[in-house]
Amino acid sequence: MMMKHSLYSTAALWALPAPLAELPIFLAVTAGQTSGQRRRSALKVAGGALMVLGISTMAGAQLLAFVGVSLAAFKSAGGLVVIIVGLEMLHGGSAILKDVDGEVHADDALWVPLVMPLIAGPAAITAVITLSIREVQRGSGVIPVGTLLAVTLSAIAVLLTLLFAMPLSKLVGVR
């Protein structure tokens, strides 16, 4: 039963982060970096996604219950965030954070928008919380091992995609 859940979770978590779709943003944020710096940036993004989704898997349901937010309300709010970011990008705005002086810091740009909300965004967080609740309710144990395995495999897929960003971008094109 856990293997079936792990496969189902892995399929969902390979589709939701969609690191291939985020290649242009990763390349824009890491423009001017050496290949070593770009590798470290890829590790930071994949590690950030692993951290966000891992914490969401282990403590997401408890955190939602603690603050009194239902899973349905969380899903709705997550959808609104995605819509707002999408509309901002359609209007030519940037989802990259700037400080009060208008400067962009490389590490901040890796976190927003890459780690959150694009790779480990509301949809992926909602998915891991839902998957972990389902796994625990089905009696697989207290720790949602199958969902954690899927999160780890997803982070590895993100890392490999970003490590090979340059050749992949040439293969799929800039658009």
Side-chain angles (χ1 to χ4, degrees), residues 133-150:
I133 290 171
R134 182 180 299 159
E135 184 177 0
V136 170
Q137 286 177 343
R138 290 191 176 165
S140 299
V142 179
I143 298 174
V145 176
T147 307
L148 286 173
L149 176 63

Side-chain angles (χ1 to χ4, degrees), residues 165-174:
M166 294 303 283
L168 284 173
S169 69
K170 291 176 184 166
L171 182 68
V172 297
V174 290

Side-chain angles (χ1 to χ4, degrees), residues 83-148:
I83 289 170
I84 290 168
V85 170
L87 288 173
E88 187 174 285
M89 292 173 127
L90 279 174
H91 287 285
S94 173
I96 296 173
L97 283 182
K98 297 178 182 176
D99 67 13
V100 291
D101 296 327
E103 293 182 35
V104 175
H105 297 281
D107 284 344
D108 293 343
L110 290 174
W111 273 92
V112 177
L114 271 171
V115 172
M116 290 188 74
L118 296 175
I119 292 175
I125 291 170
T126 302
V128 297
I129 292 173
T130 304
L131 290 167
S132 64
I133 290 171
R134 182 180 299 159
E135 184 177 0
V136 170
Q137 286 177 343
R138 290 191 176 165
S140 299
V142 179
I143 298 174
V145 176
T147 307
L148 286 173

Side-chain angles (χ1 to χ4, degrees), residues 2 6 21 46 53 70 88 123 137 157-158 162:
M2 187 180 81
S6 293
L53 295 178
S70 71
E88 187 174 285
Q137 286 177 343
V158 168
L162 298 180

Side-chain angles (χ1 to χ4, degrees), residues 39-88:
R39 276 193 299 277
R40 284 189 292 284
S41 293
L43 280 167
K44 287 179 185 179
V45 171
L50 178 64
M51 183 179 76
V52 169
L53 295 178
I55 290 171
S56 298
T57 299
M58 294 302 296
Q62 295 83 354
L63 182 61
L64 290 178
F66 178 74
V67 296
V69 175
S70 71
L71 190 58
F74 181 72
K75 287 179 180 180
S76 297
L80 288 174
V81 169
V82 170
I83 289 170
I84 290 168
V85 170
L87 288 173
E88 187 174 285

Side-chain angles (χ1 to χ4, degrees), residues 12-22 49 53 118-121 124 154-155 158:
L13 291 178
W14 281 30
L16 290 172
L20 193 60
E22 311 314 335
L53 295 178
L118 296 175
I119 292 175
S154 177
V158 168

